[in-house]
Amino acid sequence: MTTFGSFYGIITRIDDFNSGSEESLGCYKIMTVQKIDGNIVNFIITPTTYFVYNTMMVVGDVVIGFYDMNAPVPLIFPPQFRAIAMSKIIPGQNIKVDYFNEKLVSSDGTLKLNIAPSTQIVLENGQIFTKSPKNRNLIVIYGPTTRSIPAQTTPYKIIVMCPKT
């Protein structure tokens, strides 16, 4: 099971990243994100990185990036993570990338999803997902939550992250 980590801050730089393959030149980017406290992370943006709302990101945007905490990373500073999903921070909206079990509770036990007829459930390519989102890795876009443990919400949109073959 993938354990997702996140890092948010302001994009301070975006450059091309050489992945080592001649035919992929220009297809990979390195995005430097800095928190207000000065901490920095470099995200490697690949052709499979999911961008919430397909938003173009530029230097100065406030963003959150999600990565696989179990994936190997080079021992360099600043840390360099392969981005799984990226999103601009939008006031009034929250984003969580996590595994949700059969009760639609996140793996860290902090969020429970209550799906409504208005909840959009789609694949990463934007197509409708017709099965249950239970027991899957999900990108969840939501607003207000209850103050219970776990917090409960009715998501605006769920993006199902199907396994890559």
Side-chain angles (χ1 to χ4, degrees), residues 148-160:
S148 60
I149 298 176
Q152 296 187 39
T153 190
T154 302
Y156 304 135
K157 187 173 188 177
I158 297 173
I159 299 98
V160 178

Side-chain angles (χ1 to χ4, degrees), residues 75-137:
L75 294 174
I76 58 173
F77 182 82
Q80 187 170 290
F81 301 116
R82 179 179 225 148
I84 293 172
M86 298 290 298
S87 177
K88 284 187 182 180
I89 300 295
I90 300 170
Q93 284 193 359
N94 303 297
I95 297 179
K96 186 165 185 76
V97 177
D98 207 344
Y99 176 84
F100 287 81
N101 68 18
E102 69 282 345
K103 295 181 181 177
L104 290 174
V105 175
S106 61
S107 67
D108 61 6
T110 62
L111 187 65
K112 180 179 184 334
L113 307 180
N114 298 316
I115 298 175
S118 61
T119 302
Q120 290 183 313
I121 305 175
V122 297
L123 295 167
E124 290 175 278
N125 63 12
Q127 301 305 302
I128 297 295
F129 183 74
T130 57
K131 302 297 181 190
S132 171
K134 295 176 180 180
N135 297 313
R136 295 180 182 270
N137 291 324

Side-chain angles (χ1 to χ4, degrees), residues 1-164:
M1 180 170 70
T2 304
T3 304
F4 296 96
S6 65
F7 189 88
Y8 70 94
I10 297 170
I11 298 173
T12 59
R13 188 173 178 166
I14 302 173
D15 292 308
D16 284 330
F17 180 76
N18 185 351
S19 68
S21 167
E22 191 68 31
E23 65 261 2
S24 66
L25 286 177
C27 295
Y28 291 74
K29 303 289 181 191
I30 187 164
M31 186 179 292
T32 303
V33 178
Q34 183 173 2
K35 278 188 176 182
I36 199 162
D37 65 7
N39 286 331
I40 297 172
V41 161
N42 284 329
F43 282 111
I44 304 303
I45 308 300
T46 72
T48 61
T49 300
Y50 181 80
F51 283 82
V52 175
Y53 299 123
N54 290 319
T55 306
M56 178 71 64
M57 295 188 180
V58 296
V59 171
D61 285 342
V62 180
V63 300
I64 186 166
F66 297 90
Y67 59 93
D68 180 350
M69 291 179 60
N70 297 324
V73 295
L75 294 174
I76 58 173
F77 182 82
Q80 187 170 290
F81 301 116
R82 179 179 225 148
I84 293 172
M86 298 290 298
S87 177
K88 284 187 182 180
I89 300 295
I90 300 170
Q93 284 193 359
N94 303 297
I95 297 179
K96 186 165 185 76
V97 177
D98 207 344
Y99 176 84
F100 287 81
N101 68 18
E102 69 282 345
K103 295 181 181 177
L104 290 174
V105 175
S106 61
S107 67
D108 61 6
T110 62
L111 187 65
K112 180 179 184 334
L113 307 180
N114 298 316
I115 298 175
S118 61
T119 302
Q120 290 183 313
I121 305 175
V122 297
L123 295 167
E124 290 175 278
N125 63 12
Q127 301 305 302
I128 297 295
F129 183 74
T130 57
K131 302 297 181 190
S132 171
K134 295 176 180 180
N135 297 313
R136 295 180 182 270
N137 291 324
L138 306 174
I139 300 169
V140 180
I141 303 166
Y142 62 99
T145 62
T146 64
R147 294 183 185 261
S148 60
I149 298 176
Q152 296 187 39
T153 190
T154 302
Y156 304 135
K157 187 173 188 177
I158 297 173
I159 299 98
V160 178
M161 298 169 45
C162 293
K164 310 283 191 276

